Amino acid sequence: MRDLGGLWSDLTDLVLPAGCAGCGARAAGTRQGFCPGCVQELESLRPAPVRPTPAPPDLPPCVAIGPYAGTLREGLLAYKERGRHGLARPLGALLAEVVAAAVGRSRPVVLVPVPDSAPAARARYGDHLDRLAGHAAARLRRAGWPVRVLRPLRALPRPDSVALDSAGRAAAAESAFRLRRPGGPPPVGEGTSVVVLDDIVTTG
């Protein structure tokens, strides 16, 4: 089904351009939803290893493009919660940088976006991470990476993590997902890196 919410958002931006997703300014030269100053801030970000405190048991290595603050935070919120679906392209480009840094060299990669629950996907007119994964994969393919996007998980309803402490978020996360098909996810080839994608690294 066509993403009508995203289409409406994109058409509205063409007719009534929204302010910069990072700072809200209606500045000249806005590019892909961000003003020149915010573009410069985003372009200065570099992927780096991160670790939440306290880290959940058995948490694999994590890489992020930057702290959840400033232009990056505002851009993610505008994309995720305010219907600015046109931001998927620049945010997907940043996500591609993170994947490349996490894997380390060009090799087969499988991207697994953490799925939205059905109510969240309906409210956002589509799964926001699935959309980002598609843009990231396309960018990596253009750079010569063999990339697939797999969606082996479905999300179950879960409490709002804002109201939970780290132990509560970890407990909620353990029961938040189920495999879409019995027997486990589809196999991946030997030497393939599997990268789980999420928008924010937290303790849960």
Side-chain angles (χ1 to χ4, degrees):
M1 181 177 178
R2 186 71 179 273
D3 181 357
L4 296 181
L7 176 62
W8 175 251
S9 175
D10 292 344
L11 290 175
T12 302
D13 273 356
L14 289 174
V15 179
L16 300 170
C20 169
C23 65
R26 295 184 179 273
T30 298
R31 178 157 56 97
Q32 293 185 5
F34 294 98
C35 70
C38 287
V39 168
Q40 185 175 11
E41 181 179 333
L42 292 174
E43 289 180 342
S44 71
L45 298 174
R46 296 293 181 269
V50 294
R51 200 80 180 165
T53 303
D58 302 319
L59 182 71
C62 299
V63 178
I65 192 66
Y68 185 56
T71 296
L72 181 60
R73 177 181 183 275
E74 293 305 314
L76 281 170
L77 286 174
Y79 165 67
K80 182 177 175 180
E81 307 295 354
R82 300 170 194 148
R84 298 284 298 272
H85 291 179
L87 300 174
R89 184 176 177 184
L91 294 175
L94 293 176
L95 186 57
E97 291 185 30
V98 173
V99 173
V103 175
R105 61 183 176 85
S106 182
R107 68 173 73 179
V109 176
V110 168
L111 304 181
V112 180
V114 173
D116 276 336
S117 66
R122 285 194 297 270
R124 295 167 180 159
Y125 296 99
D127 189 306
H128 74 289
L129 267 172
D130 189 57
R131 193 182 298 115
L132 286 183
H135 282 279
R139 190 173 183 89
L140 288 166
R141 290 187 193 109
R142 288 195 296 271
W145 292 62
V147 179
R148 289 189 296 158
V149 180
L150 295 183
R151 303 165 182 85
L153 302 174
R154 63 183 179 90
L156 303 178
R158 59 188 293 186
D160 189 344
S161 61
V162 173
L164 302 176
D165 59 15
S166 59
R169 286 195 293 271
E174 286 183 5
S175 59
F177 304 102
R178 293 290 184 273
L179 290 171
R180 290 185 181 274
R181 50 185 277 185
V188 298
E190 185 176 351
T192 298
S193 294
V194 178
V195 181
V196 178
L197 305 178
D198 208 347
D199 51 359
I200 305 170
V201 178
T202 69
T203 55

